[in-house]
Amino acid sequence: MILSTSRMVQWTLRYGVNDYSPVGFAAFGLMVSGINGDLKAGAVYANTALTMLNTIKTKITFCRTTYISRNGILNWSTPMQSSLKPLSEGYNIGMHAGDTESAMW
């Protein structure tokens, strides 16, 4: 997982943003905060992933990116109440887009 996530971030920086770039940045932030214990750097990657969601047109990865960013990283640095509405929105978008696996996490 470490290699594939690192490659997703590397290819995004080299070739530009695609539909799966936000998931790569969110997963990389999760690894940075979990393995290295650097919560601030993980939050930077999570916020970058959430910002990328606004630039892509599809909503295929919205649910997964929101879950990883809000529940895996940002819950350590922001109050949980601030994540409830985005997580609920991610659930609704995931269910409408057919991403039931990510929506049911």
Side-chain angles (χ1 to χ4, degrees), residues 6 35 42 63 66 73 92 105:
S6 298
I35 294 172
C63 184
T66 303
I73 304 167
N92 290 329
W105 280 356

Side-chain angles (χ1 to χ4, degrees), residues 31-66:
M31 288 188 317
V32 167
S33 62
I35 294 172
N36 292 344
D38 191 357
L39 297 177
K40 288 184 180 181
V44 168
Y45 283 105
N47 287 325
T48 302
L50 293 173
T51 304
M52 279 185 202
L53 287 175
N54 297 330
T55 64
I56 59 175
K57 302 287 189 255
T58 63
K59 297 296 182 185
I60 294 170
T61 59
F62 189 90
C63 184
R64 185 167 300 205
T65 303
T66 303

Side-chain angles (χ1 to χ4, degrees), residues 1 4-5 25 34 39 44 66 72:
M1 179 169 164
S4 62
T5 303
F25 271 79
L39 297 177
V44 168
T66 303

Side-chain angles (χ1 to χ4, degrees), residues 42-103:
V44 168
Y45 283 105
N47 287 325
T48 302
L50 293 173
T51 304
M52 279 185 202
L53 287 175
N54 297 330
T55 64
I56 59 175
K57 302 287 189 255
T58 63
K59 297 296 182 185
I60 294 170
T61 59
F62 189 90
C63 184
R64 185 167 300 205
T65 303
T66 303
Y67 175 77
I68 293 171
S69 297
R70 293 284 180 182
N71 205 22
I73 304 167
L74 294 177
N75 64 335
W76 299 105
S77 58
T78 59
M80 188 62 182
Q81 290 82 6
S82 66
S83 294
L84 293 177
K85 186 176 178 182
L87 285 171
S88 177
E89 181 184 1
Y91 167 79
N92 290 329
I93 290 174
M95 291 301 285
H96 282 91
D99 187 13
T100 56
E101 177 186 0
S102 298

Side-chain angles (χ1 to χ4, degrees), residues 9 20 48-49:
V9 171
Y20 295 95
T48 302

